[in-house]
Amino acid sequence: MADAAVNLGLTALDVVTGVSSNRLDRESLQLARAELGCAEQELEISKQTLGIDRDALDMARRGLELDQEQLTLAHRMEILEARSLRFNEQSTRYADQSLLAAEADLTRNREWKLVEEKTQQLKAISNLSALIAGFAMVSLVELTVPDDINSGVLMLFGLATALVVCTMLLTMLTTSMMLVYILNYRQVTDQCFKTVWGNKCERDWRWSFNCFKFGVPCFMVSLGCISWIKFQTENEWADIAVSTMVTVVVVISLIIWIVYVKTKYATDPVTTDMEEVLESDRLLTGLIHEREHLAQLRKRVVRLKQSQKEPERQQQGHDSASGFGTPRSDAG
């Protein structure tokens, strides 16, 4: 009986122990399921965190690519600015050369203009002097002198006519030789025309011009003497009237010549060539403006280089920051 009771107690204990172990197994299964759910939730959270980190990494890469593109564009802009600077330097150099060429052309044109002006002046004086000398010589040769002419008038006529012919002949010869010289002065010297004219021709020009100015009143005096020699007819009062009128006209012409013409053009005026002065000032002003423009372009390139250094520094800081953040995303 006692053994049966013990066995029954052990059996009951085993049953109770089995029931308890089953309950504990169910509870442990529920806990395992709960832990599995938590692990799945943690896995989802880790996946979401990894996706966010990947998105952040993609954004960082895109930002880096944009910064690299911006840096490339800035580098291209720098290359374009450098090319523009070289082009502007070349254009400034060409502008300097063109200004120098323009100055040389202007000097050459002005020199030929001066040569042409002096040539026309010499031709005019030479032709006029030859014409007046021819008239005086013809009157001296062709004039018929009466027997009862006044000796004073005849002497004055001969002297005035000789002075006219000699002064005009000297003027014509001097101006002709000067004309030949200035038309071929480049074969003799390399100096500019103003220097050649001042050294070789100015004194002869003044002398020939003075001879011409002296010969004109002598020609008028000769004309007045001719009127008293030529008009010797039977009508004495008419001869005296005509000769007097011619003499009056000659005297009036002499007064006009001496008072107005000779006073106004007594000396050959020497004026300053304002065109040359103003042209040199214009050329100098143009060179100064070109150099100032070139200096401004150089300053602009320097400022551009300084502005391009700041994005490079920011890019380096961004690269270093992205380098520190990447391991965190990999660890996640």
Side-chain angles (χ1 to χ4, degrees):
M1 290 290 292
D3 292 330
V6 172
N7 290 327
L8 184 60
L10 291 173
T11 303
L13 182 61
D14 291 333
V15 172
V16 172
T17 303
V19 172
S20 298
S21 63
N22 289 329
R23 188 173 64 253
L24 291 174
D25 290 335
R26 285 195 298 274
E27 291 178 355
S28 62
L29 182 60
Q30 292 177 356
L31 290 173
R33 289 177 179 177
E35 290 179 355
L36 182 61
C38 291
E40 290 178 354
Q41 292 178 358
E42 289 180 356
L43 182 61
E44 291 294 332
I45 292 171
S46 298
K47 289 180 179 180
Q48 292 177 359
T49 304
L50 182 60
I52 292 171
D53 291 337
R54 287 178 179 175
D55 292 336
L57 182 60
D58 292 335
M59 292 296 293
R61 288 177 179 175
R62 291 177 182 177
L64 181 60
E65 290 176 355
L66 291 176
D67 292 337
Q68 288 178 353
E69 291 178 357
Q70 185 179 3
L71 184 61
T72 303
L73 291 175
H75 182 64
R76 291 179 180 177
M77 288 296 295
E78 182 181 1
I79 294 173
L80 292 176
E81 289 292 336
R83 291 180 180 177
S84 176
L85 179 61
R86 288 195 298 270
F87 176 75
N88 289 322
E89 288 178 351
Q90 292 178 358
S91 62
T92 304
R93 193 180 303 111
Y94 293 152
D96 293 338
Q97 294 177 358
S98 63
L99 286 174
L100 293 175
E103 184 179 5
D105 292 337
L106 182 63
T107 303
R108 190 180 300 108
N109 292 330
R110 188 184 298 113
E111 187 171 355
W112 282 113
K113 183 179 179 180
L114 290 174
V115 173
E116 185 65 23
E117 290 178 357
K118 295 299 181 181
T119 301
Q120 295 299 326
Q121 292 175 5
L122 294 173
K123 285 182 178 180
I125 296 295
S126 179
N127 293 331
L128 285 175
S129 60
L131 184 63
I132 294 173
F135 285 154
M137 181 62 70
V138 169
S139 66
L140 182 63
V141 173
E142 299 294 335
L143 181 63
T144 302
V145 181
D147 296 332
D148 57 347
I149 189 65
N150 189 355
S151 60
V153 175
L154 185 60
M155 292 173 61
L156 182 60
F157 169 72
L159 178 61
T161 306
L163 288 174
V164 171
V165 174
C166 292
T167 54
M168 294 302 172
L169 183 61
L170 290 174
T171 301
M172 182 187 65
L173 293 176
T174 305
T175 52
S176 298
M177 288 186 293
M178 291 169 59
L179 183 62
V180 172
Y181 180 79
I182 66 172
L183 290 177
N184 298 283
Y185 78 98
R186 281 298 181 189
Q187 299 178 3
V188 180
T189 180
D190 292 334
Q191 296 178 350
C192 64
F193 179 73
K194 285 186 177 181
T195 304
V196 173
W197 180 264
N199 294 333
K200 299 290 185 180
C201 302
E202 184 66 27
R203 184 177 300 175
D204 295 338
W205 163 250
R206 290 179 181 274
W207 183 79
S208 60
F209 191 66
N210 291 328
C211 289
F212 179 79
K213 290 189 295 183
F214 180 74
V216 171
C218 292
F219 182 75
M220 294 180 183
V221 173
S222 177
L223 178 62
C225 294
I226 289 174
S227 66
W228 290 98
I229 297 173
K230 183 68 176 177
F231 299 106
Q232 296 288 334
T233 63
E234 295 179 356
N235 193 351
E236 185 177 358
W237 291 102
D239 296 338
I240 294 173
V242 172
S243 301
T244 303
M245 287 187 292
V246 173
T247 304
V248 169
V249 173
V250 169
V251 171
I252 294 173
S253 301
L254 281 173
I255 293 173
I256 294 174
W257 173 264
I258 294 172
V259 174
Y260 178 73
V261 178
K262 192 173 181 180
T263 303
K264 185 175 181 180
Y265 302 102
T267 57
D268 191 12
V270 180
T271 58
T272 304
D273 191 358
M274 296 303 298
E275 183 180 358
E276 183 178 359
V277 176
L278 295 176
E279 186 62 26
S280 61
D281 292 338
R282 286 194 293 268
L283 290 173
L284 181 60
T285 303
L287 289 174
I288 291 173
H289 287 329
E290 290 293 336
R291 289 171 182 172
E292 289 179 355
H293 181 64
L294 182 59
Q296 291 177 0
L297 290 175
R298 289 175 178 173
K299 290 180 180 179
R300 182 180 177 185
V301 171
V302 170
R303 287 197 299 268
L304 180 62
K305 290 181 179 180
Q306 291 178 356
S307 62
Q308 287 177 354
K309 290 180 180 179
E310 294 181 358
E312 292 178 358
R313 293 176 182 175
Q314 294 178 359
Q315 182 65 29
Q316 292 177 358
H318 182 72
D319 292 339
S320 61
S322 61
F324 286 116
T326 304
R328 267 200 311 270
S329 62
D330 293 337

